[in-house]
């Protein structure tokens, strides 16, 4: 098997998709991107719901779609197990028959198909719901059924479009673990779409970021976290991303009148600066001691996130610092309040832009 | 032609205008009892429908229409064998419901626009006769409907939906006293021609027998019993 | 625009579909061959045809409209509001379809004729007699066509997604507004199908009309009645008039294509 | 079971619905009043009625079945597969609805009669003549009933959610399997409505049948034809036979209620 | 205005809902719970899609549903702005008309309604999509439209059923901030359903947890985080929750042969023990020094979560520790490896069960 290789070009009235996708057998590619970036469109192209306008799709030696060569393999011969973003369970079939639909389509007898379905139903703790119709399921239940159904169809490739968005915290952890195990065992290529960084960092071997129809960054989860190239990726990784010009470790930021010093002096010219929010300290007065970066600004917003509080600052615009709830009280931070910022130069990563 | 699963030799198909319904049902029964082994099938419809069917290749042996002129297209198509014979006649009367809601006394009353008056459509035999009757009497009737067949006129008279109408004498025959018949100032009559069809599936002899039966005393008696006039 | 790949039509679909189509086309083709085309021009101008055509269009369209106005509410009630005897009502509503049209006409006379159960009091009170008028033609058309609209629309309503209607109600839309703005648009294609069926049924209606409304050129003689009458004397004329019916329908259906059908 | 609150029926719906219902019920009530009930028992046993009833049931049900088998594929093609001339095909398919039935019968004769365009070669080759046989009754019924099924089913197919079909295809279902297991069940109510319309239209069919198949008792005389014949001689009998039609339909419709309608 | 007060009882074939809901005007109640707990069912009852079987609903002085008294106010008179879990956008209306549907239903002219809609469309950055039909939207775009539509209907109460589940990281932060502002300005009661702890802790004033149709815990976000009463809440708050019997600060855990010591000695009898995963340290050898809790167990699973790695332990079963990726490497932790656990007694919170 040679995995999935494809260049997907879809032209719509006011949206163009043009992405290269490469997924090795036995590995998981996470396709990430903002709303409307084209992820579900890519899924439609892979599954044969829409035909490519250009490019081509190969899966394990078979060409699935190649408009130039006039090749188009219809959906039902592609053997892609798909979890669609909106589930699309078959409304008049009970849960068991939805899951058994794939095995039956593959030619198994009703009984054998149902038995196969029951394994998956059991695995996803859906046994109690096996005789329900889709309209009688809660949102999360429907999503688990959709995952079970895709896996039961014995596919060559898995395509999961936000498979866990409706799951509750507790079952999400469970399903995520199940999925990790299932993906781990699955010999073919797998494509995962999710907006949850935890899902992605846990389940993906590689990440491709698509924004406005184009791939903007690819890499392993660790690479993307360390070196986000776009503000979307930075938000996903929970990092601050700033742009500027760098000379010997001193970076003049583009948008603000702030200069930041990094311990890394090897970069010069246009640069990307990455700062984790935890590395940013806030003070009521000018900080003393080692931090080589310190300036004064205002609080733009305060969001309690549970164990930490996220403080958004005005300069550089949107810079986010994570501090403890205790610190908020001590510094009596409120939106609009003056505050001193300090960052150790060693916490400031710089990359050539 | 073939008529599946029946014996050609003993089945005779007669196409008859629908005003002959009762008379020909009786006729068929009487003929069958005189000719054991022969089954007479009567296909009843309006003259135009029967004609379409014959032109379309219907497997019929005999055809009886309610108007001599209706045979012409069949003749010109070559569907008829031999000559046609008239088996009965009929004439028009003015009919009113026995309650006579419109107070109709004579044909000339039908010029009153307040009366509800119905006759047959101009192109069917009884309609042509009606037009002839009006013309002969010099009456400009104020008509409210021209029904597709005479039975429809009679039904509406029976229900008193119409105040007056022109129907065949035979139509008054079996309604008891529910309709009142008024003789027309000038009598108008029609005749019922019978013809043998070229493509008839049955034995010519049987067909000839049936035709003879209709014209014979038994047949004529049946027709007379239903109010038809002699040819 | 992206290259959309429609479903491939399996042979098991194409073959019976082709049979269905030929079953419909063959007789029409036969008809077209039998029509005396050169007589077409003068027949088309004949008063009997012109008047019947006008009357047919007026009555069939009015009937279709009335069916829409009164049939859709009944279909909605049957589909959405559980009430005792609903099954019976649903069955009764379909009965005019199985009644032979001539009997349907007779039934209309029993009800609305001059001596009818409802017609007699009406005539006594107002002097208005329904039969033999254009109103009778329309009423007969409505009677035979209504079930087609109701059954079609009800079938579609039962399949429609009620959750969207709930969402609309939560936004403050009254039940009436939900019906007109959400429910009916969402079953648009079926609504149009039902209207088309009702109209076509009314346009071709013969038996009930002739029985209930009579047959008088210019007043109650619609095209099918004219065809019937012509068939008695002038078969060619009958065929030409039929052809007029067919062509009108064809033109209307093709012209309305974009607006009526599957604007998807 | 939770207390489900159906939509309240607005007066603007109830009033027209009530009008629609009375328009249908009034004539039926008039008919019921006019029927000579005491003659019912012996008329029901009369051979003409028994034979016509049997024939009507056999032919109308066969016709409905044939419509289902060939009409659904055509409806699906029209709804789902863009092909050149689709609009025209769609319009042509509805034409038998507007053709006056008698002309429809004549058209069938032109096509399939012994002298017909297709009937003559057939008769020459096999000796088989279609008209005036039970096959002719069925064919006439199919011809008039088919458009009703096609239009209803196509309307519903256009509204159906194609995404679910895509999902089914992605699970490996062939287009044929998608149609039978996903598409058709999802339009169940409309499918049943279409079948009902086709069956009812076939059951009540008169004009095309009498022209194309003739009116031979026991062979081609269906109930509506028997009604026609009886109307000539014995109007009471005609009413009783009509009533038989109505009652059969009513019983069938009410009995099939649970299985046919809204088993949601 | 007296807010929302209700007891919602719905009896279904194999599911019973019976919850009390109380939401003050100007405050946000988050309704949380596992999949299939009955949250969306409660929404259906509040909005009048299903009628109560028992109980009653009052909103701002009006009784909306009271089966005993025979009162039932239909949906369209309830003035609840609802974001349904599955959106339910009106498929044949364009985005603008979907949003304008509420104002139009309220009697505004088409133009005025569209103008009102455009404000909301602008606010949710949907202007480019205003002329699209729902079927032409991506999942996240549809969700934003649904939120805008609910708000545009000028409701007395807001009900949001997982309004942000399909949003990407970047726009989620934005929408969350917008929602925080909108909810803050909204004078009526608000009910929020979400599976995302961040949403909940940021947006909710109070939380009610529903599990299997019954309320199992209520309180402020801080209370629930400190003192989760069920394992679902503990998972939501990212805490370990253990049960045992406590005598003078020593807790014998129910399910495992482990005894834990807490600095809190005031509880005795049945007790709930709460331990933050960050407070659990892992060592390769027996730890020396202060931690009063130390025992040896095995690693059951390892999940990289980005900046931290979550280690699941075997005793007590399922105990989760968050450690740095560096620690994993240093300790060479793999599933099945032996490991020493230590927890400071001061980090162990104990509550009477
Ligand atoms: N049927 C359609 N017609 C026209 N445009 C469409 C259609 N479906 C989607 N789009 C547009 O194409 C773009 C890509 O949509 P897509 O559904 O692929 O996004 P996505 O990356 O999956 O987003 P999300 O994370 O919100 O699900 C969007 O701008 C969307 O509005
Ligand atoms: N129409 C229905 N008929 C029968 N049972 C139903 C129906 N709808 C939902 N249920 C069941 O009722 C229970 C509650 O469902 P509900 O949708 O309220 O859950 P939820 O809390 O919203 O879950 P989720 O977080 O997954 O959306 C579930 O067990 C579900 O399967
Ligand atoms: Mg998507
Ligand atoms: Mg829910």
């Amino acid at each position: 098997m040679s995995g999935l290789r494809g260049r997907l070009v879809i032209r719509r009235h006011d949206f163009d998709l043009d992405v290269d996708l490469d997924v090795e057998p036995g590995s998981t590619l996470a396709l990430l991107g903002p709303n409307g970036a084209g992820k579900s469109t890519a899924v439609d192209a892979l599954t044969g719901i829409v035909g490519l306008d250009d490019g081509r799709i190969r899966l394990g030696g078979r060409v699935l779609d190649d408009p130039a060569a006039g090749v188009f393999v219809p959906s039902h011969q592609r053997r892609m197990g798909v979890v669609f973003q909106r589930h699309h369970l078959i409304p008049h079939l009970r849960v068991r028959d939805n899951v058994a639909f794939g095995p039956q389509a593959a030619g198994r007898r009703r009984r054998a198909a149902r038995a196969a379905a029951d394994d998956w139903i059991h695995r996803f703790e859906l046994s109690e719901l096996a005789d329900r119709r889709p309209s009688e399921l809660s949102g999360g239940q429907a999503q688990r059924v959709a995952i079970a159904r895709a896996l039961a169809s014995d596919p060559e490739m898995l395509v999961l479009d936000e498979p866990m968005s409706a799951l509750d915290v507790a079952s999400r952890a469970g399903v995520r673990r199940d999925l990790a195990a299932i993906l781990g065992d699955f010999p073919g290529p797998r494509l995962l779409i999710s907006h949850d960084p935890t899902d992605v960092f846990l389940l993906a071997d590689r990440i491709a970021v698509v924004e406005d129809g184009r791939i903007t960054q690819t890499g392993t989860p660790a690479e993307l976290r360390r070196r986000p190239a776009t503000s979307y990726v930075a938000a996903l990784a929970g990092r601050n991303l700033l742009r500027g010009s760098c000379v010997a470790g001193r970076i003049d930021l583009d948008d603000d009148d702030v200069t930041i010093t990094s311990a890394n002096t090897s970069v010069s010219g246009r640069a990307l600066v990455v700062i984790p929010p935890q590395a940013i300290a806030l003070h009521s007065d000018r900080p003393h001691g080692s931090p080589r970066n310190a300036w004064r600004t205002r609080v733009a917003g305060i969001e309690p996130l549970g164990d930490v509080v996220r403080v958004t600052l005005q300069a550089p615009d949107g810079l986010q610092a994570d501090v403890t709830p205790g610190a908020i009280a001590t510094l009596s931070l409120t939106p609009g309040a003056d505050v001193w910022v300090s960052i150790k130069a060693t916490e400031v990563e710089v990359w050539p832009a | 032609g073939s008529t599946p699963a029946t014996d050609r030799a003993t089945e005779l198909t007669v196409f008859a205008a629908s005003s002959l319904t009762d008379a020909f049902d009786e006729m068929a029964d009487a003929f069958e009892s005189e000719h054991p082994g022969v089954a007479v099938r009567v296909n009843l419809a309006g003259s135009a429908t029967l004609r379409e069917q014959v032109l379309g290749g219907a497997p019929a042996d005999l055809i009886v229409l309610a108007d001599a002129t209706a045979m012409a297209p069949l003749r010109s198509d070559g569907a008829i064998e031999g000559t046609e014979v008239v088996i009965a006649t009929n004439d028009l009367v003015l009919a009113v419901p026995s309650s006579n809601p419109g107070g109709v006394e004579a044909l000339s009353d039908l010029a009153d626009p307040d009366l509800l008056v119905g006759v047959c459509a101009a192109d069917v035999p009884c309609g042509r006769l009606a037009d002839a009757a009006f013309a002969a009497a010099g009456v400009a009737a104020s008509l409210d409907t021209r029904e597709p067949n005479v039975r429809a006129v009679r039904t509406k008279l029976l229900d008193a939906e119409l105040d007056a109408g022109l129907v065949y004498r035979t139509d008054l025959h079996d309604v008891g006293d529910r309709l009142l018949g008024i003789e027309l100032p000038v009598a108008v009559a029609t005749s019922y021609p019978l013809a043998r069809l070229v493509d008839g599936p049955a034995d010519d002899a049987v067909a000839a027998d049936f035709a003879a039966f209709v014209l014979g005393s038994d047949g004529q008696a049946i027709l007379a019993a239903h109010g038809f006039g002699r040819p | 625009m992206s290259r959309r790949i429609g479903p491939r039509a399996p042979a098991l679909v194409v073959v019976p579909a082709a049979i269905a189509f030929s079953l419909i086309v063959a007789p029409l083709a036969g008809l077209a061959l039998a029509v005396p085309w050169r007589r077409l021009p003068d027949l088309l101008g004949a008063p009997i045809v012109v008047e019947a055509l006008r009357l047919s269009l007026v009555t069939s369209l009015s009937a279709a409209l009335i069916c829409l106005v009164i049939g859709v509410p009944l279909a909605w009630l049957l589909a959405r509001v559980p009430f005792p005897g609903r099954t019976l009502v649903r069955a009764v509503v379909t009965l005019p379809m199985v009644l032979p049209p001539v009997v349907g006409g007779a039934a209309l006379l029993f009800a609305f004729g001059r001596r009818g159960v409802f017609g007699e009091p009406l005539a006594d009170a107002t002097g208005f007699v329904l039969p033999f008028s254009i109103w009778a033609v329309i009423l007969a058309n409505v009677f035979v066509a209504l079930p087609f609209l109701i059954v079609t629309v009800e079938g579609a309503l039962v399949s429609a997604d009620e959750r969207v209607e709930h969402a609309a109600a939560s936004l403050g839309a009254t039940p009436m507004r939900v019906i007109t703005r959400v429910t009916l648009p969402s079953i648009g294609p079926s609504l149009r199908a039902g209207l088309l069926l009702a109209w076509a049924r009314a346009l071709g209606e013969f038996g009930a009309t002739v029985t209930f409304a009579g047959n008088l050129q210019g007043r109650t003689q619609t095209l099918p009645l004219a065809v019937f009458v012509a068939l008695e004397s002038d078969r060619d004329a009958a065929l030409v008039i039929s052809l007029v019916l067919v062509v009108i329908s064809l033109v209307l259906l093709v012209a309305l294509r974009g607006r009526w059908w599957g604007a998807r």
Side-chain angles (χ1 to χ4, degrees), chain A residues 252-274:
Chain A
D252 272 327
L253 297 184
D254 286 351
D255 299 327
D256 296 273
D257 196 14
V258 173
T259 301
I260 288 186
T261 306
S262 167
N264 177 349
T265 55
S266 66
V267 177
S268 66
R270 301 288 306 146
L272 294 177
V273 178
V274 178

Side-chain angles (χ1 to χ4, degrees), chain B residues 103-129:
Chain B
V104 175
E105 304 288 339
L107 191 65
S108 53
D109 293 346
L110 302 197
D112 177 0
D114 290 338
L115 288 183
L116 288 173
V117 178
V119 298
C120 290
D123 295 308
V124 303
C126 70
R128 271 196 297 275
L129 288 187

Side-chain angles (χ1 to χ4, degrees), chain C residues 5-10 12-14 16-34 66 69-77 80-82 87-104 106-108 110-112 117-118 139 142-143 146-148 150-152 154-162 165-166 175-176 179 186-190 192-194 196-197 199-201 203-206 223-224 227-228 231 235 238-239 242-243 245-247 249-250 253-254 257 261-264:
Chain C
I5 305 295
R8 305 235 173 138
L12 260 168
V13 166
V14 174
I19 294 176
F21 186 62
S22 2
L23 267 188
I24 290 176
V25 164
L28 294 175
L31 187 64
L33 289 177
I66 294 174
V69 171
I70 66 178
V72 169
L74 186 51
W76 185 86
L77 277 187
R80 289 296 159 80
V81 182
T87 309
L88 193 69
V89 170
R90 194 179 264 146
V92 165
V93 156
T94 58
L95 292 182
M97 292 196 299
V98 295
L99 214 56
V102 177
V103 177
L108 282 166
F110 295 147
F112 302 113
V117 185
F118 310 100
L139 183 58
V142 169
F143 179 71
L146 196 49
F148 292 90
I150 293 176
V151 170
T152 311
E154 197 211 335
L157 283 175
V158 169
S159 317
D161 182 5
E162 283 185 65
E165 298 172 15
H166 293 149
M176 198 61 208
I179 292 172
S186 81
I187 59 157
S190 290
R192 292 189 284 267
L196 172 68
L197 292 178
W199 173 71
R201 181 70 187 80
L203 188 63
E205 163 51 33
F206 168 74
L223 275 181
V227 168
F228 179 84
L231 214 47
R235 178 156 165 260
L239 296 185
S242 307
L243 205 75
L245 264 170
V246 167
V247 170
S249 319
L250 207 58
L253 292 172
V254 173
R257 166 189 54 97
W261 290 93
R264 286 243 250 172

Side-chain angles (χ1 to χ4, degrees), chain A residues 40 85 161-162:
Chain A
S40 300
Q85 190 167 9
D161 194 352
E162 302 194 30

Side-chain angles (χ1 to χ4, degrees), chain A residues 12 14-15 33-42 85 161-162 195, chain C residues 4:
Chain A
R12 283 211 179 112
D14 45 8
F15 173 77
N35 291 133
K39 304 180 295 296
S40 300
T41 305
Q85 190 167 9
D161 194 352
E162 302 194 30
H195 289 304
Chain C
R4 285 182 179 276

Side-chain angles (χ1 to χ4, degrees), chain A residues 11 13 51-53 65 67 72, chain C residues 1-6 8 163:
Chain A
R11 299 195 188 96
H13 180 54
L52 295 182
D53 291 309
D65 195 353
F72 180 81
Chain C
M1 286 297 106
S2 63
R3 180 177 143 236
R4 285 182 179 276
I5 305 295
R8 305 235 173 138
R163 301 288 315 201

